[in-house]
Structure formats: C-alpha cells, structure tokens
Amino acid sequence: MAKLTMVEAINLALKQEMERDPSVVVLGEDVGKNGGVFRVTQGLYEQFGDARVADTPLSESAIVGVAIGMAVYGLRPVAEIQFEGFIYAAMEQLISHASRIRTRSRGRYYCPLVLRMPYGGGIRAPEHHSESNEALLVHTPGLKVVAPSTPYEAKGLLVSAIRDPDPVIFMEPKRVYRAIKEEVPEEEYSIPLGQSRIVTEGRDVTVISWGAMLQATLKAAALMGERGIRSEVIDLRSLSPLDDETIIESVKKTRRAVIVHEAPRTCGLGAELVARINEKALLYLEAPVERVTGFDTVMPLPKLEQHYLPNAERVVEAMDRVLNF
Amino acid sequence: MNLRAKESMPVLQRDHALHLLREMLRIRRFEEKSAELYAAAKIRGFLHLYIGEEAVAVGVMQALEPRDAVVATYREHGHALVRGVSAASVMAEMCGKVEGCCRGRGGSMHIFDAATRFYGGNAIVGGGLPLAVGLALADKMMRRKQVTACFFGEGAVAEGEFHESMNLAALWGLPVVFCCENNLYAMGTALERSESETDLCLKAASFEVPSWPVDGMDILAVEEAARRAVTAVRSGGGPYFLEFRTYRFRAHSMFDPELYRTKQEVEEWKKRDPIPNFSVLLKEQGLLKEEDLDLIEAEVGAEIHEAVQFAEAGNWEPVEDLTRFVYSEQGRP
C-alpha cells in the first residue's frame, strides 16, 4: 500500500470521486491550471478539463454562492477557499444561504456542497493564513464541519463529505499537509461523518483534539505514558455535529479531561465541549476540565507562533493539573 | 396617459392581452389584501409590496418556460404568483401556516417552490445573484438549454456580489437574464446618492454583457425586451442585463415614513400605473370592454378570497418541528 501525504490523499479522493460521479465538480482560485496553491487539486484539470474544474476569479463570495446554485440543482461542487482567512468575504453566502436553504425551504431544496479550505498555524504564515476559525462555522446550524488529522482520515472523510446531502466545511490542517505520510488504500473507503475516533485507549485521562493538534496531543500522551499514565486520546474529526457519545463515555471512564485546540480560547470549540461534559458527566469528574488553546489575539507572526500554538509540553502540564487536582 | 405612439403598437392577441392584465391585477389585489392582513397582525415578519412594479414580473415571466429557473428578492410575492405558485400556497406561507410553500417558515421574504423552480425569495440584497450564476453554471455543465432569470433591485448593484456575479456570468458565458428592477430607491436612499455612476446599463456593459434599459411601467415593452433577452441567452449567447425603470407606489416596507421622496413625485409616477394604462390601451384597441374588466376583477377577487380562507384555516407548525430540516434526516436528501 502506498504511503501518502495528506495532500496526496485528498487529491486521490477528489480524483476518484470525480471518476465515480460525473456530478462532482471542482472550483476555486487557481485550482485548475495551477493545481491549487498547495497542489491539492493537481492533475484534475488535465484529467477532467475545464468543464469540471473551474479556475475562478478572486471572488470568494461568488465561489461559495455559485457552488450553492450548482448544489441545489443537481451537482456536487467541491469549492476551495485558498486559505481559511479568506472565507470571511464569503461568510454571507455561507451563513445566510448555504446553511439555511434546507430549513428555509423546509426540505424542498438542499445544498450538498463541500467547501475545502486549509486552516491552522505552524507554517510561519501571517494571520489570515494561519487561523483556526472552526468555532464560527460550528456555531452555524446547518453546516457540518470536519477536520481530518492524518492522510488516511482525510481521504475517507472527504469521500463522505462529497456524498453527504448537507453543506460540509472540510478544514484541512495545512501544517499536516506534508508533515506525515501513512498508508492510504487506493481502494474506495469512507469514514462516516459525525463520529469521533479513539486513537489510543486509556483509563487515566481523556485528551480531545483535532486537526494538527492531534500530533502534539499524541506526543504528550507518549510522554505521560513513560510515567505510567494511560491516556485516552480522542480525535474529534467531526466538529459539527459533535459525537457526544464517544466523548461522554470516555470521560465517564477516565473521570478527567483535557481539550486541546489552536483557536483562541474564548468561545472556542473547547468551551462547548466543557459545557457538554459538565451537562452529561459532571458527577463523574475528579477535576475541572482543562483547556489548552491558542490565545485571544490574532495569530502572531512569526516569532511568537510557537508560543501561541499548543505543544506537547503545555498539554502535559494540563494533564498533570487534572491528574493532581 | 398612454406612453406609446399608436403607430408603434404591436398587434395584440386578445387572449394574451387579457392574460397580462389579469396577472398584473392578481398581484395588485393579492398585495392589497396582504397589507390588510398585515395591519390585522395575521401576516407577521415584514411585508414589502410590489405595487406599481407589476409589469416587470408579469412581462418577464411570459418569456420563460417551465424548465427555466427564477431567483427573486424579498419583494417577490408577485414573481411567485405569476411563476405559478398558487395564491393559496403563498398566502398560507405569509401567514406562517404549514400549508404554505415553505411550511410557513419562509414567510413573505423567503418564498421557495421546487415545482416551479422558484429559488427564493431572499432577504439579503444581492444575495441571490451568485446562486443564479451557479444554477446557470450547472445548466451549462450539464448541457441543458435552460435559462435563469435573476431579479434584483438597483440597490444590489452597490453590493460586491453584483460585480462578482456579473463578471463570472460574462466570463463563462452563462445563461442568466439579469433583471434589475430599478425603482430609484434602495430603501430610502436615492440612486444618485449611492452610486457614482447612475447609468446601470453602463455598469453592466463594462462586464461585456449586453444591456438594455426598458420602461418597466409598460407591460408590452417589458415582455418584448424579456423575450429578446431570453432568446439570446437560450441560444448560448451568454448573459443579458435588462434595467427595468419602474417605481414602487407604496412604502419600502410597512415601517417606512417615506422621508426621502415627495407625495408629488409619487403622484406623478402613479399616472404611469401599468394597470390602468394598459386597460385604457386595450379598450382603445377594442380588446377590452368594461364587463371584461369586471369579470377579471371578480375572478381575481374570488381567487384571493379563497387563498385567504385557505391560509386562515391552515395550521401552525408544531413545536416538534422546531429543529427539523436543519440537516438531512437519516442521512438522506
């Protein structure tokens, strides 16, 4: 089995879905001739032509709006927003329309589009190229939000996202794009949306993270393992809808939880997870749930980036706090 | 006042002429009734009346086929009615009843109807333009000879989405007829107070889109322009821009003190009211008698009466449906 990067795995998923289903089309800035700024769509234009791979102008609002129009009328558009920080220009289409067409029309119309975008820090890029804005999207009813953490996960989740009948925001951790390789089957497989993944089983503490933060979390878990602490690491994967069952069952077992995300702390997705744990497992807890997060400021460039992003040491400190409360 | 010289009049088929008149009257009477129901708090939310602008929706719809798509604005009751969404379904929708075309959730501003390919109803100015371009792109990709008619007010040209959408439609040669309903005011702000260039056709032409100004108070001029545009667009000539110069006789919404225009200006425009003017013209041509008009009024009145009864007899959405339709149910469309 071939070992692929996340970029290659996503590319393979796009190619195979376009071969399988002629209604799958790709559009975005430089996704065609140029193969995408991160090369994720490389080769698609050559294989499928400009009828199915459209280079758009720098018109984020129109990219999302046009994808909505295609989606409500029989196509399966996969639009790319080049960097997560460019999505703000398209929020009107995304929040006011894509997320609401089904409910506004009470199911008469629906909007099966996928919006792919690289997100997150760690590549020494300035603010709009390093953000984690998932909470804005998760807060919007009607959108599904997915963040894969590895190449294998990315392929299987993207296949499900393309086949899903609802608008799915597919957040690709750009720091992971080429950082790790793993075996990715050429054969078709899919990973269902809405389900989190238990990466390592353990009974001492639950640690929840997603996207690029999974690597720091696993490193922390390994460090704690050397001290005999068995961590249960959960890759959240589906940020909306949340998989309450997996999270709550784990916390009931370990009685301690740490949440790791790189987005700013206030009203980050970690806050929602804490609330759900409190609502459903408060009396099981031996310690307040800890959050290891970015800071309530714009992503700093470049010197303070490593300070801003959670790392294994900060996760270990938080795990120590919940274990020694 | 007849705005057309007699010698330039097209030869009118009586049935079609009476159909045009009836459709305009359906909108007018439907909306007058809506205003009453709004005052009686039976219609809630907001209500934006199209009264005065009826010739535009009626004329454009004549040029469309059932397979075509319509994207409209929040002032869209008339467009929905003429497109073929039943008056009962629209009225029930506005009254918030589950028998409405969107089960009462869309209300006045968000009328959707899959059977007639009516894609809203949109409370966001300019919000429907990219959607229309997307529908047309889907048509082009799937090699369907269909047309999307996209209505928007002149206020929308101030939005970035107008420019993004015009550019894309022109760049990709997409089958969209952009129907700009220029009623001179974006809510309360006059065109010359919001645009440095007030010639909207010039703006559209800058995207290499064929553009025509049309007297939006003249139903025949509207229909003629729409047919020409739809024919060109359907034959693969790319998008078309029509600027319909029109006027709304009523306030922007039901909460509008109208400080931005004078009563005299409104009265001047009312002299160009498309309904009485067209009636006079038909009478002059011997196509309409007073008793024909009485009959049309009676039939329209009966239709609206039934629509109101249907809406009033309708049901409220059950609370169990509060969070339904946010996502697909059981993972299916």
Side-chain angles (χ1 to χ4, degrees):
Chain A
M1 197 184 302
K3 285 198 162 190
L4 302 184
T5 64
M6 185 180 278
V7 165
E8 292 163 340
I10 294 170
N11 181 266
L12 183 59
L14 287 169
K15 174 180 141 70
Q16 291 181 341
E17 284 300 285
M18 290 181 80
E19 285 169 348
R20 180 189 64 84
D21 179 356
S23 69
V24 177
V25 295
V26 165
L27 71 160
E29 295 160 4
D30 283 328
V31 298
K33 277 195 169 178
N34 210 27
V37 74
F38 287 101
R39 321 305 306 153
V40 174
T41 54
Q42 192 161 26
L44 300 180
Y45 182 84
E46 288 74 13
Q47 184 176 350
F48 300 101
D50 60 7
R52 291 181 64 197
V53 182
D55 277 317
T56 66
L58 309 183
S59 306
E60 287 80 11
S61 190
I63 292 170
V64 176
V66 164
I68 294 170
M70 290 193 283
V72 297
Y73 196 36
L75 293 180
R76 293 266 168 173
V78 182
E80 176 180 300
I81 294 291
Q82 201 165 63
F83 283 90
E84 75 291 336
F86 304 172
I87 196 152
Y88 305 124
M91 287 302 247
E92 199 278 293
Q93 285 294 326
L94 201 58
I95 296 180
S96 295
H97 307 304
S99 74
R100 300 184 189 189
I101 279 181
R102 180 188 292 279
T103 197
R104 184 180 285 157
S105 67
R106 304 315 276 164
R108 263 71 161 189
Y109 288 116
Y110 64 102
C111 188
L113 68 81
V114 175
L115 194 61
R116 293 181 37 250
M117 59 182 192
Y119 88 101
I123 64 158
R124 298 277 190 268
E127 48 177 296
H128 287 107
H129 302 68
S130 288
E131 301 182 340
S132 294
N133 42 21
E134 67 270 20
L136 298 172
L137 304 163
V138 172
H139 189 63
T140 303
L143 298 180
K144 291 178 178 171
V145 184
V146 176
S149 58
T150 75
Y152 178 88
E153 291 280 307
K155 186 183 176 207
L157 287 167
L158 183 56
V159 166
S160 293
I162 290 171
R163 299 178 189 181
D164 196 85
D166 291 309
V168 181
I169 315 301
F170 197 78
M171 301 185 69
E172 301 168 2
K174 63 175 88 76
R175 189 186 191 178
V176 184
Y177 263 162
R178 297 178 190 280
I180 53 174
K181 281 192 170 195
E182 71 178 347
E183 290 190 342
V184 177
E186 176 82 13
E187 296 75 40
E188 180 180 316
Y189 67 95
S190 63
I191 298 172
L193 305 187
Q195 293 179 15
S196 297
R197 170 173 73 114
I198 294 175
V199 186
T200 65
E201 286 193 36
R203 64 177 198 205
D204 297 328
V205 55
T206 298
V207 193
I208 304 166
S209 72
W210 55 92
M213 287 297 100
L214 186 69
Q215 296 303 317
T217 301
L218 287 171
K219 199 169 159 194
L223 290 169
M224 293 300 272
E226 291 169 11
R227 290 160 44 190
I229 304 295
R230 289 153 299 182
S231 309
E232 181 140 303
V233 174
I234 296 178
D235 176 5
L236 199 60
R237 299 206 282 217
S238 172
L239 314 191
S240 177
L242 287 168
D243 179 2
D244 283 1
E245 194 182 333
T246 299
I247 297 161
I248 300 302
E249 286 311 305
S250 177
V251 172
K252 281 181 177 175
K253 180 174 71 175
T254 64
R255 298 172 174 262
R256 294 173 170 87
V258 174
I259 298 153
V260 186
H261 66 65
E262 57 183 281
R265 188 175 187 82
T266 300
C267 290
L269 189 50
E272 176 65 26
L273 291 168
V274 171
R276 292 196 186 200
I277 292 168
N278 285 347
E279 284 161 1
K280 293 178 180 164
L282 183 67
L283 297 181
Y284 291 83
L285 291 175
E286 297 285 354
V289 179
E290 281 279 337
R291 286 181 289 163
V292 183
T293 68
F295 294 83
D296 289 341
T297 182
V298 173
M299 183 78 182
L301 170 84
K303 198 69 180 162
L304 292 178
E305 186 182 63
Q306 290 310 358
H307 179 76
Y308 178 96
L309 291 171
N311 55 26
E313 290 68 36
R314 280 172 63 193
V315 178
V316 165
E317 285 167 20
M319 291 167 81
D320 270 332
R321 283 197 296 274
V322 298
L323 286 161
N324 300 310
F325 181 74
Chain B
M1 189 176 85
N2 185 359
L3 295 170
R4 282 171 169 272
K6 278 229 168 71
E7 54 273 24
S8 77
M9 288 310 304
V11 179
L12 274 171
Q13 297 294 323
R14 181 170 183 271
D15 286 353
H16 184 62
L18 295 190
H19 171 71
L20 295 178
L21 182 62
R22 174 194 298 270
E23 292 291 78
M24 289 196 289
L25 274 166
R26 284 178 72 221
I27 301 176
R28 179 73 52 100
R29 301 295 175 243
F30 182 91
E31 291 210 321
E32 287 166 351
K33 191 67 190 175
S34 300
E36 269 178 46
L37 294 176
Y38 193 86
K42 290 188 172 167
I43 294 174
R44 308 310 294 261
F46 296 98
L47 184 69
H48 306 87
L49 300 178
Y50 194 55
I51 289 174
E53 305 184 38
E54 294 94 337
V56 179
V58 173
V60 172
M61 295 302 172
Q62 306 311 310
L64 299 180
E65 297 174 12
R67 59 180 168 159
D68 296 330
V70 177
V71 176
T73 71
Y74 52 79
R75 201 181 300 285
E76 89 285 31
H77 318 133
H79 305 74
L81 287 178
V82 185
R83 182 58 184 166
V85 189
S86 78
S89 172
V90 177
M91 189 59 88
E93 185 58 37
M94 289 164 66
C95 291
K97 300 299 179 69
V98 292
E99 289 78 9
C101 54
C102 295
R103 295 179 61 85
R105 272 294 183 99
S108 160
M109 293 203 279
H110 293 120
I111 294 170
F112 281 79
D113 182 65
T116 57
R117 298 202 64 218
F118 195 82
Y119 292 92
N122 199 319
I124 303 297
V125 172
L129 277 93
L131 173 102
V133 173
L135 291 170
L137 180 57
D139 281 332
K140 185 170 182 182
M141 284 177 158
M142 296 168 95
R143 300 179 203 286
R144 295 180 290 224
K145 288 217 141 205
Q146 298 172 182
V147 170
T148 297
C150 178
F151 293 87
F152 53 95
E154 89 291 342
V157 306
E159 297 282 356
E161 284 168 338
F162 167 78
H163 301 271
E164 295 186 15
S165 301
M166 290 292 289
N167 179 53
L168 276 185
L171 185 71
W172 293 339
L174 302 180
V176 185
V177 181
F178 291 99
C179 301
C180 180
E181 301 175 316
N182 179 5
N183 65 15
L184 303 178
Y185 296 95
M187 288 184 65
T189 303
L191 185 61
E192 66 268 17
R193 292 184 60 228
S194 58
E195 290 295 314
S196 59
E197 172 55 74
T198 56
D199 184 339
L200 304 181
C201 287
L202 195 59
K203 280 181 193 286
S206 76
F207 295 99
E208 301 287 310
V209 173
S211 312
W212 291 87
V214 184
D215 179 359
M217 308 306 269
D218 179 345
I219 178 74
L220 299 176
V222 172
E223 183 181 352
E224 186 186 352
R227 285 191 186 280
R228 182 171 42 184
V230 168
T231 301
V233 168
R234 200 185 303 282
S235 67
Y240 222 91
F241 178 90
L242 297 174
E243 178 199 347
F244 296 106
R245 294 179 178 167
T246 184
Y247 200 81
R248 72 176 146 70
F249 297 162
R250 299 289 189 101
H252 162 73
S253 70
M254 305 306 276
F255 306 98
D256 174 7
E258 296 188 74
L259 302 176
Y260 49 86
R261 62 185 188 181
T262 63
K263 286 204 168 84
Q264 190 192 354
E265 179 185 299
V266 179
E267 290 310 311
E268 281 302 311
W269 273 92
K270 281 185 176 172
K271 291 177 187 167
R272 299 178 55 193
D273 188 329
I275 297 176
N277 280 334
F278 190 53
S279 305
V280 167
L281 181 119
L282 294 184
K283 283 178 185 167
E284 283 173 4
Q285 295 206 353
L287 298 174
L288 179 75
K289 296 194 187 73
E290 201 54 41
E291 51 266 37
D292 297 326
L293 195 56
D294 291 344
L295 183 62
I296 292 173
E297 286 278 17
E299 287 170 354
V300 167
E303 181 189 5
I304 290 163
H305 179 71
E306 281 169 27
V308 173
Q309 283 194 319
F310 176 80
E312 292 196 338
N315 296 291
W316 299 109
E317 186 177 32
V319 72
E320 303 83 69
D321 281 5
L322 178 67
T323 59
R324 284 193 66 201
F325 301 111
V326 177
Y327 296 103
S328 59
E329 291 170 9
Q330 289 102 37
R332 285 195 296 274

